[in-house]
Amino acid sequence: MKFLEDRIKKDGVVKPGNVLKVDSFLNHLIDVELMDMLGSEFKKHFYQKKITKILTIEASGIGIACLTARYFQVPVLFAKKTQTVVQDDDKYSSEVYSYTHKCSNHIFISKKYMTADDHVLIIDDFLANGAACMGLIDVVKQAGATLEGVGICIEKGFQDGGKKLREMGIDLESLAIIESMDAETGTIVFR
């Protein structure tokens, strides 16, 4: 995915601790045209799958999930991290550790929005250790739904999340896979 790699090289900032900051176009200030191109790429990869729902986790995955959903003409469901007074207690939930925020979150989705009839495509902005994906896969399993695949914008290939998902036999499409990063030089090497 040359256009995404070029954008990461141009506007991404490598920080100490293997952190890649892409908030100027992907997960804070959102470049909608770029998101639309990424959604189109996910449609090209998963076009033969019977997708009925796009699933992501709040908040960074919502933008790319919405633009991907346009191509599949299906709704987006996002796992919430906080309970509100208007949520009912009839939900699927899982615990997810956030390495970025250094804390665990209980994510959940309402049972009325995912059933055993659903064919789910998980979409997210980053894949590193795979904790968010594993939590989303867990709620898909709880619902008895079919996981059709996982679409990731940026995979940190030097961490083990992608390896875990591939070993599970999951159809994983990562649009840019980073082999290594160096905070001192700002160098990013793609697979």
Side-chain angles (χ1 to χ4, degrees):
M1 193 72 347
K2 180 94 168 84
F3 70 88
L4 179 55
E5 291 176 0
D6 289 346
R7 186 64 181 270
I8 294 166
K9 283 182 178 178
K10 177 179 174 266
D11 294 327
V13 178
V14 181
K15 307 288 261 179
N18 288 324
V19 173
L20 176 62
K21 191 172 179 182
V22 291
D23 64 345
S24 67
F25 62 93
L26 186 64
N27 55 22
H28 191 53
L29 178 67
I30 297 175
D31 181 332
V32 176
E33 186 176 340
L34 176 69
M35 290 290 159
D36 189 59
M37 293 166 61
L38 299 175
S40 174
E41 289 300 317
F42 287 131
K43 176 64 176 181
K44 288 176 188 173
H45 180 82
F46 295 107
Y47 77 97
Q48 291 183 323
K49 306 280 183 145
K50 177 188 169 186
I51 308 296
T52 62
K53 294 247 170 59
I54 303 288
L55 177 64
T56 194
I57 192 166
E58 70 175 351
S60 297
I62 296 173
I64 183 59
C66 287
L67 286 161
T68 301
R70 288 185 57 231
Y71 287 94
F72 287 95
Q73 298 180 327
V74 298
V76 171
L77 175 61
F78 66 90
K80 293 183 173 244
K81 295 178 185 173
T82 56
Q83 180 78 25
T84 64
V85 295
V86 296
Q87 306 287 184
D88 56 35
D89 289 330
D90 201 18
K91 61 188 177 241
Y92 304 113
S93 66
S94 190
E95 188 169 336
V96 173
Y97 183 77
S98 169
Y99 291 90
T100 306
H101 300 286
K102 306 280 189 251
C103 66
S104 289
N105 292 296
H106 282 10
I107 63 165
F108 66 92
I109 59 171
S110 174
K111 288 184 177 180
K112 66 183 169 186
Y113 297 131
M114 186 180 293
T115 69
D117 294 331
D118 280 310
H119 292 257
V120 179
L121 174 61
I122 293 172
I123 296 289
D124 209 356
D125 59 344
F126 269 96
L127 174 62
N129 293 302
C133 276
M134 296 305 285
L136 292 171
I137 290 166
D138 184 34
V139 296
V140 170
K141 287 180 180 176
Q142 289 176 47
T146 302
L147 177 64
E148 294 290 352
V150 174
I152 299 293
C153 295
I154 303 169
E155 177 184 338
K156 292 180 179 177
F158 54 88
Q159 292 181 280
D160 64 353
K163 182 180 181 216
K164 284 185 217 172
L165 295 178
R166 290 179 183 97
E167 286 174 352
M168 292 170 63
I170 292 171
D171 184 0
L172 171 62
E173 173 69 359
S174 296
L175 300 181
I177 302 176
I178 296 172
E179 195 62 46
S180 64
M181 302 186 303
D182 186 313
E184 283 186 34
T185 63
T187 305
I188 301 170
V189 176
F190 293 96
R191 186 176 293 170

